[in-house]
Amino acid sequence: MKILVCIKEVPHSESKPEIDFDTNSLIYDRDKSSFIINSSDEYALEEGLKLKDTIPGTELDVITAGTQLQIPVIRRALEMGADKGFILKKEPHNDPPASALIAAFVKDKNYDLILTGVMSDDNMEFITGPSIAALINYPWASSVTAMSVDVQNNSVKAEREIDSATLEIVTLKLPALITVQSGINRPRYPSLSNKLSAKIKPVPLIEIGPPPDAICPVEIISLHFPESKKGAVELNGNTGEKSQALLAILRSRGEI
Amino acid sequence: MREYMITVIIEHRKGIITQHSIDAVNSALYLASIKRCSLRGVVLSDEHFIDEEKFIKEFNIDLEVLLNSKLADYSAEGYIEVLSGFFRNSPSHFIIIPHTPQGYDYAPGLAIHLEIPCITAVTGIRKHNDNAAFQRLYAGGRIVSEVVPECGKAVITVNPSPGKVPQIRNESAPSISVKKVNASLERTVEVLLKESVPRAGDLLRAPVVIAAGKGVATEENMSLLRDLARLFPGSSIAGSRGACDIGLTDYALQVGMTGKSISPRIYFACGISGSPQHMAGLRGAGTIVAINRDPDAPIHRMADISIVERIEDFIPEFIRAAKQ
């Protein structure tokens, strides 16, 4: 079985972006911010590694779009147990989207299963996984909270959360693409032997030509910080004073 | 055939329209008022859509019902096949879809098939010159962006709007059309729906909810939240997805888009950043009290009462004060 896991490097959730108002883009100071594998992508990687552990002969590759700056997240995935890692060359903020590059890359590679996270923590678009699948004509299921592969029937069964009271269980023929929700498993720590072998693996930077049919661009006309809710109060003072202020509000409403 | 600028896809469970769909129709009505154009709803179903009279009465917009026995349950493959065929024959500039686990499953694929852009998780729509600008959030809600598709066409998934949407009515009398469509579903072997165990009855009814985010971080801090909860009779503990993922609370107590939607009088958001996925579960909440040490956390801008403090400092101090 051949598995591809698509990962993205994202700033740590506590990193604070700045707005470049000239180009309407977000900037993270790479010296002050830490960068990690996008959380749901890491769960997707673990889900793939679990399949590699249980299905003999499984190969698992990881891929991302970016530049040399993204080598550390690919290296981390190799340390966790991925066989090969690739970076598809993409300049930040520029078209084409990562989904178009990955779709072009996988077209002739015969992956049986493509895994990725349900959304990226920075852009929060929920868009890359289903877009790749639609471009390469794989069936897909997104926001998956449990999955199993049936090798004999060449299918994957995936559980999705539809709402708080309903689960949908969908069975798809392979090849297929699954986007994974966070919390589905416990991502492993790299073993020492994997760490050593990952060190010497090459991480090729691959150039993909522009996709044949570019769709109409979406222009960012403004970026700003959110405004506070109308009538909101911020409690000031030391911890004790803030406690008293909150207590006064709740007491005046008869809540406490 | 009448030409429509805007189409809203109605999500339903066995004929019952979901709340997210009603919100999406309202967003579509608002967009129609900006663009001064016509609007229709589209429903995919396996039988006669039982809610249509009610639908027409409530929203007063045209409705097209697309029927096939294979559309009994949702599948991305079925929806893409039927909708891409439908829109090729009867185009629409904007296609509005509720941003739900169903909506964001098929919206990007539909956009690829129709060769138009996809803008997801839209939280607001604004008039921009003669066009519409769509608001969405980045970086866990720290940044708001406004985007415009240059060709004036897009598939849009909409989050429930936090504010009230002006009710705009179509002038002409609405029409209903019901037609059978083809759906082959070659690669979706089976779709089953299963009820997940609802164990959070208390959470749904609780007048006061104490919710943990990833920022609560430790079991010690979690027990402080439980102490806080004891001050409020009938209160419940809850958690964000992040808190559930690191084992602070059970998934049954998760509030947000993939968890529960709740409407307590008071919601204590402790160590919660305030991502739009979390806030989607809080539309009906009364007073939101945010306790987060990060002054830049988006939750402070969405809260009614904002307290920049560490959990481990503030909650014990507050409990001490309340007990005096």
Side-chain angles (χ1 to χ4, degrees), chain A residues 122 137 142 160 182 216 253, chain B residues 101 105 139 151 187 194 245 287:
Chain A
D122 53 352
N137 206 18
S142 59
R160 309 174 59 230
S182 62
C216 116
R253 297 188 189 177
Chain B
D105 190 46
C151 54
R187 290 167 302 166
K194 193 171 94 180
D245 287 348
T287 302

Side-chain angles (χ1 to χ4, degrees), chain A residues 68-83:
Chain A
Q68 279 97 337
L69 287 173
Q70 279 70 48
I71 289 176
V73 290
I74 291 290
R75 189 78 69 200
R76 171 80 186 177
L78 293 171
E79 288 176 354
M80 284 172 73
D83 293 305

Side-chain angles (χ1 to χ4, degrees), chain B residues 87-154:
Chain B
F87 285 114
R88 264 195 290 273
N89 287 326
S90 174
S92 177
H93 283 214
F94 292 103
I95 300 168
I96 309 286
I97 296 172
H99 188 75
T100 59
Q102 179 172 315
Y104 64 66
D105 190 46
Y106 72 87
L110 180 61
I112 297 269
H113 279 262
L114 298 175
E115 297 179 343
I116 58 177
C118 186
I119 302 168
T120 55
V122 165
T123 53
I125 302 171
R126 193 175 63 83
K127 195 171 158 61
H128 171 72
N129 303 331
D130 270 345
N131 227 320
F134 300 95
Q135 273 181 356
R136 59 181 316 281
L137 302 173
Y138 284 95
R142 287 178 195 274
I143 303 283
V144 183
S145 74
E146 290 192 317
V147 300
V148 175
E150 282 176 14
C151 54
K153 292 179 184 175

